[in-house]
Each structure stands twice: as C-alpha cells, then as structure tokens.
Amino acid sequence: MDKNQIFSDDEQYIAPTYARFRVAFERGNGCILYDSDGREYIDCGSGIGVNIFGACDEEWKAAVKAQLDEVQHTSNLYYSYPQTRLAGLLCRKTGAGKVFFGNSGAEANECAVKAARKYGNERYGRNEIITLKNSFHGRTIATLSATGQDEFHKYFHPFLGGFRYAEPSMDGVLACYTDKTCAVMIECVQGESGVHVLDEKFVKELEKFCRERDILLICDEVQSGNGRTGKMYAYEHFGIRPDIVTTAKGLGGGLPIGACMLFGKCAEVFGRGDHGSTFGGNPVACAGAVNIVERITDSLLLEVQGKGAYFRAHLGRIKNVIEVTGLGLMIGLKTSKPAREIAERCLDKGLIVLTAHDRVRLLPPLNISKSQMEQAIKILKEVIEQ
Ligand SMILES: *Cc1c(COP(=O)(O)O)cnc(C)c1O
C-alpha cells in the first residue's frame, strides 16, 4: 500500500485524535516491524506494551488460530472454557479470588471503580476514591475523572465526582482522606506521566493505612503488569497485597482484553446483574492470553530483570541522559532534548520508541534479543548525543 494514500485517507476519514508519527507499519516478526516501504525497525514500543512477545509470535498465534477454528464469540450468557481457563490461571498466579473481563485498560478500571464503590457503599456508606497526581487510568469519563492530571480535565465537563487527587506521599493521601474514602488507586509505576516508580516506603505505609481502615487498595497494572517490570505484577516489587488489581495491554499479547482481579474480601462484591460486557472475555482474546500468562514463568521474569538492568546500565552512560527510571523492561529516559524529537529521529534511524510526558519511554517485547538491545542502545546514543 502506498503510504501517502494511507496518510491522506487517514486525514480525510479518521477523527484526528492522535498525533501520529508518519509511518504505517504493515507487518512484523518478533521485535522487528516493517513499514509500507518494506523498511525494517527495531520495536521498543510493543504497540504501547501490548505485543509482549513481539509481532506474530508463533506460539501465541497458534493458540489464537486454534480458537478461531472453534468459535470466535459466544456471549457471556453462556459458560466459556477459554475464559474460565484464563481466570483460573490468573487467580492461581496472583492469589486473586475472582476475575471480571473487559476489553481494555479503561474498562478494567471502570470495573474496579464499581467494585470499590459497591464495597464501600454497602458496608459504610463510603464512595470516594483517592487517586494520585500524575496518574493515568484511561479515557472514558469515569477513568478520566480518576486520572490525576489537569490536562485531561478540559473540555468534557461535567466529570464524575467522588475522586480526590493526592500527592504521591502519605501526607498527600491524608490530605485527601475523609470518612467517605472507600479506596485508593495507584500505579506502582506511573507509566503515561513519565515512568515514575512510586516510593516503596510510601506504598507500604499506604497499604497498612488502608488495611487498618478497610479502605481498598487498587493497583492499576494495565501497563506495568504481565511480566513487564520483571515481576508478574509490579506491586510484587513492593511486598504489598492489593485488594483489586487491574490489567490489560500486554495480557492479550496483541488482542484487546482487560481484567479486573478481585482479592480476598472483594472477591464476592459483585452479584448477578452488577456488571457486564458484550465482548468482555472474548474466547479468541482469552485463548491468546492463556498462552501469554502460561509463558510468564520465573525464568522469563529473571530474564526481564536482566535485560532491564542491561538497558539501564547502558542508557545511563549516554551523554545528555539526565535520569533513567522504571523497573524491568518499563523504562523512562529523561534527556536534555524534547522526547518527541528523539522519538522521531529514532524512527528515522529504524528504532521505535515511545514518549511519556517529557520522557522517552521504552517498552520492548519481553523476548527482545541481546543484539536487538545493543542496536537499540546504539541508535539511542547516536540520537541523544547528537
Ligand atoms: C494504557 C493505560 C490505561 C488505559 O488502557 P486502555 O486500554 O487504553 O483503555 C489505564 N491505566 C494505565 C496505567 C495505562 O497505562
């Protein structure tokens, strides 16, 4: 396909909500993507953390194709083997009691908000949720309301009430805490706002504070989950046990799926009719996700930690790099140049990187090879030092 035709059709027909880079990827293989001119790129974005084992991974594809040959959709009016298999796997891996499936991160978080409000309303008449400044929880009205960034709170008034935005510290949370607080929602690694890892002492204190008051602790692991940080879920780095965990992005390995995992006292919060989704837990997406989750083993997680350390060590030595943040293969880079400019110049040189606020962000597929990492670091060095 001629790329200029794609660009002009996009301009004519697609609602212009995205600041797209001028490239159309046509196909891929592992950590390599090819554009409409057949040009090759190393992928350190994974389609924003989605293609967790890269493009067209053979094992994942086989699982998806096998389900496509069975049936593509049946509806949540009936039982579903791919869905129960995935839910069982997630519960056994995490200790969750129950799972609700949606189709995206925002839907997983919507579910968490509903679960927290029902839990709080029924027991105590509480329904306020504290979220953190610089958080990102999604693009629906409820999840935008939950998102603690002013720039997202333009144009679409009225937003949903019942959210308070705290500085990421105990003092910050205490300043927002009222007798109506039913939950606190955090990203252990704040992705969209620049790959900021929360302070461990704060997260531990917050867990204790919540537990003592029967306030639910919700971890949004939409981006940081599914092995991305070198643990199955990033909260494991902090030694805490949340009540609700949401995830999406990497879970489906490339197909849309979101999950809201309900732990312990929350497991029984929903009853018949409380929530639902037509597409949620689609059998094809679930069959792919089963393959992904089964492959996130302890040895893979160790590899991810090693690769993360490798990136960090080399990126930290690049001139003009001010700070390297993140955990595992969720990496933020603060440099003296605008992040967008770096991303564009990397793309020109055949490397895909993301940005997050003022940072360059790397979310490479977890199976990126040593030579691909070396090549990526080389291009980043050229671009950032130039
Ligand atoms: C991407 C993201 C979301 C939103 O996910 P969608 O699938 O785009 O709805 C929510 N929370 C976090 C932390 C994210 O990174």
Side-chain angles (χ1 to χ4, degrees):
M1 192 62 212
D2 169 29
K3 68 180 174 204
N4 292 314
Q5 187 67 51
I6 302 173
F7 298 159
S8 67
D9 283 354
D10 187 288
E11 198 177 343
Q12 186 167 1
Y13 299 117
I14 305 270
T17 65
Y18 300 104
R20 297 199 203 274
F21 293 90
R22 288 190 68 85
V23 56
F25 294 113
E26 238 169 40
R27 61 198 172 81
N29 180 14
C31 297
I32 304 296
L33 288 180
Y34 301 89
D35 72 10
S36 46
D37 299 329
R39 217 182 139 215
E40 199 176 301
Y41 299 77
I42 296 175
D43 182 12
C44 281
S46 310
I48 320 190
V50 168
N51 296 343
I52 205 137
F53 291 117
C56 300
D57 174 78
E58 290 300 331
E59 262 191 61
W60 170 82
K61 227 164 53 178
V64 167
K65 281 184 171 171
Q67 183 57 42
L68 273 174
D69 284 336
E70 299 287 337
V71 66
Q72 78 275 28
H73 170 85
T74 54
S75 154
N76 285 313
L77 295 172
Y78 313 104
Y79 291 89
S80 159
Y81 176 59
Q83 218 178 80
T84 50
R85 234 182 122 195
L86 178 59
L89 255 179
L90 286 172
C91 287
R92 286 193 299 279
K93 269 204 191 248
T94 62
K98 296 265 196 290
V99 185
F100 179 88
F101 290 116
N103 308 288
S104 64
E107 282 176 78
N109 287 336
E110 290 271 345
C111 179
V113 168
K114 284 180 78 172
R117 283 186 169 188
K118 186 173 179 204
Y119 186 91
N121 275 327
E122 274 191 336
R123 281 171 185 72
Y124 310 105
R126 300 171 179 165
N127 47 41
E128 283 180 3
I129 299 177
I130 297 174
T131 64
L132 298 185
K133 297 210 167 138
N134 289 324
S135 57
F136 180 82
H137 298 298
R139 296 288 197 157
T140 62
I141 288 289
T143 56
L144 273 184
S145 304
T147 292
Q149 299 188 57
D150 290 340
E151 63 182 271
F152 287 99
H153 295 165
K154 298 181 294 195
Y155 311 132
F156 307 113
H157 290 98
F159 284 95
L160 210 61
F163 291 98
R164 289 165 167 263
Y165 315 112
E167 292 293 339
S169 67
M170 253 350 272
D171 284 346
V173 169
L174 284 169
C176 291
Y177 169 63
T178 73
D179 60 0
K180 290 277 184 210
T181 305
C182 70
V184 181
M185 176 148 80
I186 62 172
E187 294 159 88
C188 286
V189 187
Q190 296 184 321
E192 294 305 312
S193 64
V195 197
H196 300 293
V197 184
L198 293 185
D199 177 59
E200 184 171 343
K201 189 160 160 275
F202 160 55
V203 173
K204 287 197 156 112
E205 275 178 30
L206 177 64
E207 184 208 33
K208 186 160 169 279
F209 175 84
C210 289
R211 196 178 300 286
E212 285 168 0
R213 289 161 185 79
D214 200 16
I215 292 168
L216 301 179
L217 181 60
I218 306 170
C219 286
D220 177 346
E221 298 261 5
V222 169
Q223 185 163 159
S224 56
N226 312 299
R228 170 60 54 198
T229 68
K231 298 276 185 191
M232 181 66 189
Y233 291 105
Y235 70 79
E236 296 167 43
H237 288 285
F238 297 78
I240 58 163
R241 300 199 321 158
D243 302 295
I244 301 178
V245 175
T246 59
T247 192
K249 291 194 168 89
L251 178 64
L255 287 174
I257 185 168
C260 177
M261 294 178 259
L262 305 162
F263 290 68
K265 60 194 180 189
C266 285
E268 308 304 326
V269 70
F270 284 134
R272 303 226 186 294
D274 281 345
H275 201 30
S277 165
T278 300
F279 286 113
N282 168 273
V284 180
C286 281
V290 165
N291 175 262
I292 299 293
V293 175
E294 276 178 341
R295 289 161 68 191
I296 304 173
T297 58
D298 288 345
S299 67
L300 177 87
L301 294 174
L302 280 177
E303 261 179 55
V304 172
Q305 289 170 21
K307 288 174 184 179
Y310 181 84
F311 261 119
R312 250 167 268 283
H314 288 270
L315 295 173
R317 282 187 220 127
I318 294 175
K319 197 177 70 173
N320 299 334
V321 167
I322 296 163
E323 193 186 14
V324 188
T325 59
L327 288 172
L329 287 175
M330 183 170 182
I331 299 167
L333 267 184
K334 184 174 161 70
T335 79
S336 50
K337 303 218 174 97
R340 173 86 189 190
E341 188 187 308
I342 290 172
E344 272 166 2
R345 288 183 28 220
C346 282
L347 208 54
D348 286 343
K349 290 178 182 280
L351 173 68
I352 302 165
V353 301
L354 304 166
T355 64
H357 218 248
D358 60 337
R359 311 276 168 127
V360 174
R361 173 174 44 158
L362 308 182
L363 301 173
L366 304 187
N367 55 350
I368 188 169
S369 71
K370 180 88 187 289
S371 66
Q372 287 162 340
M373 289 195 291
E374 282 168 2
Q375 186 64 19
I377 290 162
K378 184 167 161 272
I379 293 174
L380 273 164
K381 185 174 157 69
E382 280 167 21
V383 166
I384 295 170
E385 290 191 348
Q386 197 186 348

